[in-house]
Amino acid sequence: MQTEMTQREGAFSQIAAVIDRDIEQHITNIQEVIRQPSMSTTADGAEGIQTTARLLRDKFAALGCKDAQIFETPGNPIVFGHLDAGAARTLIIYFMYDTEAVLPGEDWIAPPLDAQIVDMPPYGRCMVGRGVINTKGPMQAFLNTVEAFQQAGIALPVNLKFVAEGEEELGSGSLGAFIRDNVELLAADDLYFPMPRQQPNGRTAINLGSKRGVIFELECSGALWGRGPGRYEIHSGYGALVDNPTWRLIEALNCLTTDNGNTVLVEGFYDDVLPPNEEQATQLDRLAHQWDEQEYKQLIGVDEFINGLTGRAALERLMFAPTLGIRGMYAGDARPGDVSVSKAIVPHRAVCKLNVSLVPDQNKEDLAQKIRAHLDKHGYSDIEMRLRPGTTSEPGSWGHVSEEDAIVKALIAGYRQFGVEPQIWPRSSGGWPGHLFQKYLGASFVSGGIGHGGRAHSPNEYIVIDGYTHSEGVRVGGLADLEKFYANLLFTYADL
Amino acid sequence: MQTEMTQREGAFSQIAAVIDRDIEQHITNIQEVIRQPSMSTTADGAEGIQTTARLLRDKFAALGCKDAQIFETPGNPIVFGHLDAGAARTLIIYFMYDTEAVLPGEDWIAPPLDAQIVDMPPYGRCMVGRGVINTKGPMQAFLNTVEAFQQAGIALPVNLKFVAEGEEELGSGSLGAFIRDNVELLAADDLYFPMPRQQPNGRTAINLGSKRGVIFELECSGALWGRGPGRYEIHSGYGALVDNPTWRLIEALNCLTTDNGNTVLVEGFYDDVLPPNEEQATQLDRLAHQWDEQEYKQLIGVDEFINGLTGRAALERLMFAPTLGIRGMYAGDARPGDVSVSKAIVPHRAVCKLNVSLVPDQNKEDLAQKIRAHLDKHGYSDIEMRLRPGTTSEPGSWGHVSEEDAIVKALIAGYRQFGVEPQIWPRSSGGWPGHLFQKYLGASFVSGGIGHGGRAHSPNEYIVIDGYTHSEGVRVGGLADLEKFYANLLFTYADL
């Protein structure tokens, strides 16, 4: 055992030396994947998605996956690759190769597809661009790590199965069926989603579960309503005689919520919400003392939380409350600009883009039906509700991860070796599809890593390149640290 | 008198012959002004506005205006030209050289700046493009007519003063001060706004007044509210803890109206609304029998009016009811597209573009203050209200035009000579700034002409080129008819 440990340490040192030697090339590799757009939430993102899928397949093949291949789905392709090291354990490495879109008018300090390196105090050098943190940067960093193993002539201590989907930002609508249909191919012990998750002060958290989403939009139109302009916008001079679908949509939306949208009035909306169980309540109690609320607010640019919530109550709402959110809305003349950029019309349609953020044991299909029923009951049966395809494909499959699971223990150990004690969050505020792998493969799933990035989905998405030591004395990892963390995690996981 | 009439008739025949001879060139002239964009309601329309102002000044000079000139204003330039024929009467010809914008995603059968000639059954050949009817087409047709006078060697029977503004679609914010400051230059007896106004069945109407507008927008933002995302949109995962300005704006809008927006709840909104007086009531009674409601609905693509109104009640609401209209709205991810084009964010701002359509004796500044006060009273003082500049510049100047005014009598006579008996509408449903000339110059003001066009502000704006005879036997004028109508109107007006 002593010998083995020493071997591990020696192997790790060799890999770390390769990472340090090649880090500039590794950064360039990340820039290359950022510069290839792969925005799934655009009307015309298909080209970038297809190109990126092929790029990944080629990368997997170049790393030695003999069966690197693209699986077509009803949505975007899923790219698979198996690195069989003849090891005892097999780990799925979950990647998402799609990113959010860049919206017109967003204010970026550097073009979002340039992957420029910019000094961003207090973080030092950062890469800025769409997908640098969420999540093509961390993805390529992992592939860099695997390459470092090979450069160092060190065998992987774990068999890896790469599963890269291209519609995470669309709700992973094709992933569940893909896993169900390929259980033998994907057979694995656990799953890891490589992702730097340190806060600016160096603290970090491990989420034992996640929320999930129902993504939909509501449209009110003259054509569907039978009142108002039926086919196209008309001169506002007719407004005294002609109904306006925008006003109707506003009234319909208003019947769904109250309290600035924070209390949902849809009948039965909260029926299946589970309060924290005993273990989760304890975790919340502990977290309330660990959580740096001010830093969290600063990070997302928010002065005050809903209803002035703070501490434990804020944390409980963040993790345990379902929400009905508006992502966007457009009607008529939706051009930005000053008040003079305004056409004198009665619009013929108005659209609101929404999402429900679900918690256990809420059910996607059930929730969608409840919203539909609520609208109907209030007289809005003409308002069309369009669900995003695939968002209702996996009802009831809430995952469950424990601090005792091997991959979670390996992650905690990895953080500790770096000098960081991770907080344990019962649930993340966002969603990712790790639970689908547990449902069909029994794999535990977790995400994390040292390093810092932020502004996912926002302008100026960034990832820290060199790392720094925070005034509280905790080190925040750079990209080389992240890649070493990945390598170390694989060794630790293999030995557990 | 007999001799003079004969001279007039002879002169008219010569001009009509020139119009028939040159009509293809006249159509080309119209196409040229359409192909030069002049959209005032765009963020970057300035270049087209300036170019068009210079183009018009050159046209006025070429027609013999010795003082053709551009007046700068706080808004867009006003172009002036005086054709002094040494006649007894002087008529202001009001032009607007700006147009509405073309919105992204509008469905046009031909590019909106191509001015293509397209067969549009049942209207026959039409020109399609932004501004062809509203109002650069009719404007150029008038200039064509003046040119025909000159080609025929016939002196104008009336002195003409051209006043062309470039911000009618912005609410004519600079025009009032320009008239007030140039009373001597503009001195005139009456005002005519050249515009074909036949309905598809050949019927037409003369409006004795117009509504007016307050154009404004409301914005709710995290920055102003102090809650929600303060600087940029953030990941929707934070939505359980972070307020959404979009929901707040929806609630604020909802407190302004009820009944699908058709009843305004703003305190005092209806206080100053004058019901029809005795004369107007009689006009409404008469109109209720003349109005082809079905054709009106078809023309604007509406199946049913507000609250199922028909006949006299519909007409009264159209002309005498003020409205609070929504022109457009945008928040967060406002990209059109299917439900997958939807970014997972909490928006940091939401904007609604509105207008009040006012009737006598409502007052713009008063109405704006009432809306502001209503929002404040309901707790929405953080919601910013931005008024379009200039929209509050002319409170209380409601114009008054009579069937007995010379220019109105000339217009009625012109229609009758063409075989059309015009309806008399106490007020138009839209607004134009003729009243400002009455306020400062005492000029009566009217708009009209034979010919037909439609879809002002909408996609596929069109104007009929050749004209046709409707199944009811009434002829609808083409462009040559319109130009002859203009010529005849000048003669008739001179003789009254």
Side-chain angles (χ1 to χ4, degrees), chain B residues 125-146:
Chain B
R125 288 204 308 161
C126 292
M127 193 183 299
V128 172
R130 178 53 78 230
V132 293
I133 182 68
N134 185 18
T135 64
K136 285 156 72 179
M139 171 182 82
Q140 180 58 45
F142 194 91
L143 299 179
N144 290 340
T145 302
V146 174

Side-chain angles (χ1 to χ4, degrees), chain A residues 259 262 304-309 317, chain B residues 227 238-243:
Chain A
D259 180 28
N262 293 323
E304 194 179 346
F305 293 139
I306 285 173
N307 298 330
L309 288 177
R317 184 176 167 104
Chain B
R227 290 166 59 179
Y238 303 113
L241 259 193
V242 178
D243 288 284

Side-chain angles (χ1 to χ4, degrees), chain B residues 154-167:
Chain B
I154 309 286
L156 285 167
V158 183
N159 310 314
L160 301 181
K161 290 185 176 174
F162 300 132
V163 178
E165 69 156 321
E167 51 184 299

Side-chain angles (χ1 to χ4, degrees), chain B residues 26-39 48 51-52 55-56 59 96-99 112-115 127 129-132 135-141 143-144:
Chain B
H26 288 186
I27 292 170
T28 303
N29 294 346
I30 294 173
Q31 288 176 307
E32 282 172 7
V33 299
I34 300 303
R35 287 169 186 159
Q36 168 55 54
S38 55
M39 302 177 191
T51 305
T52 305
L55 185 77
L56 263 188
K59 281 176 182 282
M96 48 180 277
Y97 67 82
D98 64 321
T99 71
L113 294 174
D114 271 13
M127 193 183 299
R130 178 53 78 230
V132 293
T135 64
K136 285 156 72 179
M139 171 182 82
Q140 180 58 45
L143 299 179
N144 290 340

Side-chain angles (χ1 to χ4, degrees), chain B residues 425-437:
Chain B
W425 285 43
R427 192 178 294 152
S428 78
S429 60
W432 65 285
H435 60 94
L436 294 175
F437 294 87

Side-chain angles (χ1 to χ4, degrees), chain A residues 106 233 240 317 341 343 458, chain B residues 106 233 240 317 343 458:
Chain A
E106 283 182 2
E233 62 202 29
R317 184 176 167 104
V341 179
K343 232 175 109 162
S458 305
Chain B
E106 282 183 4
E233 62 203 29
R317 184 176 166 104
K343 232 174 110 163
S458 305

Side-chain angles (χ1 to χ4, degrees), chain A residues 7 13 67 80 91 151 161-162 170-171 192 209 212 216 221 225 253 257 306 310 352 358 364 390 405 411 463:
Chain A
Q7 279 178 348
S13 294
D67 48 3
F80 176 81
L91 191 59
Q151 292 275 324
K161 289 184 176 175
F162 300 132
L170 298 175
Y192 174 58
R212 219 162 295 155
F216 66 104
S221 72
W225 186 16
L253 289 165
T257 68
I306 285 173
T310 59
C352 186
L358 290 91
K364 294 181 181 186
D405 292 346
L411 186 62
I463 189 168

Side-chain angles (χ1 to χ4, degrees), chain A residues 216-237:
Chain A
F216 66 104
E217 58 186 20
L218 297 177
E219 171 167 347
C220 183
S221 72
L224 293 166
W225 186 16
R227 290 164 61 178
R231 298 189 297 271
Y232 44 81
E233 62 202 29
I234 63 173
H235 195 297
S236 58

